[in-house]
Amino acid sequence: MRKLNWSWLNISKSSLFLILPVLFLIIGLMVTSEMGYYYLYSSDPEYAFLLNGLNILNFHFPYVVMGPATPLHAYCAAVTGIVYLFRGGPSLNVDVLQNQDLYLHYINLSIIIVTAISLFLLGYMVYKSQNKDIFSGLFIQLTVFSSWLIYDLMRRIMVENLEIIGMLFLIILIFKYLKYPSEKYKLFDKYVIWFSVVVGFIAATKMMYLSVAIIPFILIEGYKRKASYVVLTIIFFFIFGIAVFSRWDAFFNWYWDNFMHSGQYGEGAKTIIDPTVYKNNFVYIFFTDSVFFKLFVLNTIALVIYHLPFLKVKQKNDKHYKAILGM
């Protein structure tokens, strides 16, 4: 008797992870369609990224390296070059400067598309790593819908656009690493390398987000492997942020002044922490985003409950606990 082919069922399950990415794409298209010309409401940082991308296409390093934002500069250069190939006409520089908003539109549109694709990969990869649990894959895709800030970023071209994509891939790695057998650990195994690549990319896009490096650092087993992760992350940071070498003084002084002064962009009194500003910012973070605040509280409660002896839930080398602790 001929066996039935049930492979279509796996295809239909996979297609479920297209629902939220398509919704994200539709919302993104709606948001961008309402914005009109960029110069009517904003020139910073959209035009800076466009022109720095043009610098790269002219075989020059980008001038702005304070982010350092090199990955976004390179991305803008790639999209600009592709769009120009289909347009032809005058020289590249002339066409970009005469049609700035057209190129900005395609850069913005492509970022939304890439984010939607990354969101699909997130759901599908989590589904695969969680013993094909459809609910886990769909639930984790709700990440990008948890804050109004994501919708605001859809209309912009900012480093945060690439940070979101980087964070989605970091989540994928975390879920896959939770299932990685301990006996396969090596000094430079694939997860040490991939964590370093993703965190290096995130930091090179905007160094302010380097704090996420603590999550893989806590997750990775063994001091030698942690040290190799740190070294590789620094190496990949400079690979992705290679433009900092062209203006090292500007890059270093930017972060040093921000660290040593209390005001915005390195201005203000020379003090590392201003208690009043710190308190106000702390309150602002936790009470302007209710989802983040609630998750932070639940996360903290879970960490406390985990150690209660009568519950008997504490385990040796518990990766899930380390992931929560890192976050």
Side-chain angles (χ1 to χ4, degrees):
M1 186 174 178
R2 190 176 181 182
K3 291 184 178 180
L4 294 174
N5 186 359
W6 295 100
S7 60
W8 67 271
L9 191 58
N10 289 326
I11 296 173
S12 63
K13 286 182 179 179
S14 301
S15 64
L16 290 174
F17 303 110
L18 286 170
I19 297 172
L20 291 176
V22 169
L23 177 61
F24 179 87
L25 182 60
I26 292 171
I27 294 174
L29 294 175
M30 291 173 62
V31 171
T32 54
S33 68
E34 295 297 320
M35 296 315 301
Y37 295 108
Y38 283 90
Y39 61 79
L40 292 177
Y41 71 93
S42 175
S43 60
D44 179 17
E46 282 82 358
Y47 287 92
F49 289 130
L50 176 65
L51 294 177
N52 275 292
L54 192 59
N55 275 338
I56 293 175
L57 290 173
N58 283 279
F59 303 103
H60 297 291
F61 277 118
Y63 184 78
V64 179
V65 296
M66 276 66 83
T70 309
L72 184 54
H73 295 145
Y75 182 88
C76 290
V79 175
T80 298
I82 293 170
V83 172
Y84 177 73
L85 286 176
F86 286 93
R87 284 178 56 79
S91 68
L92 171 66
N93 293 344
V94 171
D95 196 52
V96 171
L97 293 176
Q98 287 182 343
N99 301 279
Q100 297 170 34
D101 266 67
L102 180 142
Y103 281 92
L104 288 171
H105 169 73
Y106 281 114
I107 292 170
N108 188 0
L109 177 63
S110 67
I111 289 174
I112 294 173
I113 293 172
V114 172
T115 306
I117 294 171
S118 303
L119 188 59
F120 167 76
L121 292 174
L122 172 68
Y124 182 74
M125 297 302 287
V126 169
Y127 156 75
K128 293 280 285 186
S129 65
Q130 295 298 108
N131 301 319
K132 296 188 176 182
D133 181 3
I134 294 176
F135 175 78
S136 295
L138 292 173
F139 182 78
I140 203 67
Q141 284 184 319
L142 293 174
T143 302
V144 297
F145 299 95
S146 62
S147 174
W148 66 268
L149 186 60
I150 305 295
Y151 309 117
D152 188 51
L153 286 172
M154 286 182 180
R155 64 186 177 87
R156 305 297 304 273
I157 299 172
M158 302 177 70
V159 289
E160 280 73 18
N161 298 118
L162 291 195
E163 294 294 2
I164 292 170
I165 295 170
M167 296 296 181
L168 295 181
F169 279 96
L170 181 60
I171 294 171
I172 291 172
L173 285 175
I174 291 171
F175 272 92
K176 289 181 71 65
Y177 186 77
L178 292 176
K179 294 289 185 179
Y180 192 55
S182 300
E183 63 271 12
K184 291 187 178 181
Y185 289 156
K186 298 177 182 177
L187 184 60
F188 291 100
D189 67 25
K190 61 181 180 180
Y191 283 102
V192 171
I193 296 172
W194 278 116
F195 274 133
S196 301
V197 170
V198 172
V199 174
F201 172 84
I202 289 171
T205 303
K206 191 170 185 177
M207 200 171 176
M208 297 295 184
Y209 292 95
L210 181 60
S211 56
V212 299
I214 194 67
I215 303 174
F217 183 82
I218 292 176
L219 262 177
I220 293 171
E221 299 287 341
Y223 292 110
K224 291 182 179 180
R225 296 176 75 249
K226 290 180 189 291
S228 64
Y229 160 70
V230 172
V231 172
L232 285 175
T233 299
I234 294 172
I235 291 172
F236 282 113
F237 166 78
F238 283 112
I239 291 174
F240 288 119
I242 190 170
V244 301
F245 293 112
S246 66
R247 299 189 66 222
W248 176 258
D249 289 343
F251 170 76
F252 178 81
N253 291 333
W254 167 263
Y255 284 100
W256 182 252
D257 288 342
N258 271 283
F259 178 74
M260 294 299 297
H261 294 82
S262 62
Q264 191 176 26
Y265 304 136
E267 303 292 335
K270 195 171 183 179
T271 176
I272 295 175
I273 297 178
D274 184 328
T276 303
V277 174
Y278 184 86
K279 177 185 174 183
N280 291 338
N281 288 341
F282 194 81
V283 172
Y284 178 82
I285 290 170
F286 285 98
F287 291 100
T288 54
D289 193 328
S290 60
V291 174
F292 176 80
F293 176 70
K294 291 170 185 175
L295 289 175
F296 182 84
V297 171
L298 289 173
N299 198 24
T300 305
I301 293 172
L303 290 172
V304 174
I305 292 176
Y306 181 84
H307 290 277
L308 297 178
F310 63 87
L311 292 177
K312 298 180 180 180
V313 294
K314 187 176 180 180
Q315 300 176 24
K316 186 178 180 181
N317 296 325
D318 188 346
K319 291 182 184 176
H320 291 82
Y321 166 74
K322 290 180 178 179
I324 294 175
L325 180 63
M327 286 183 273

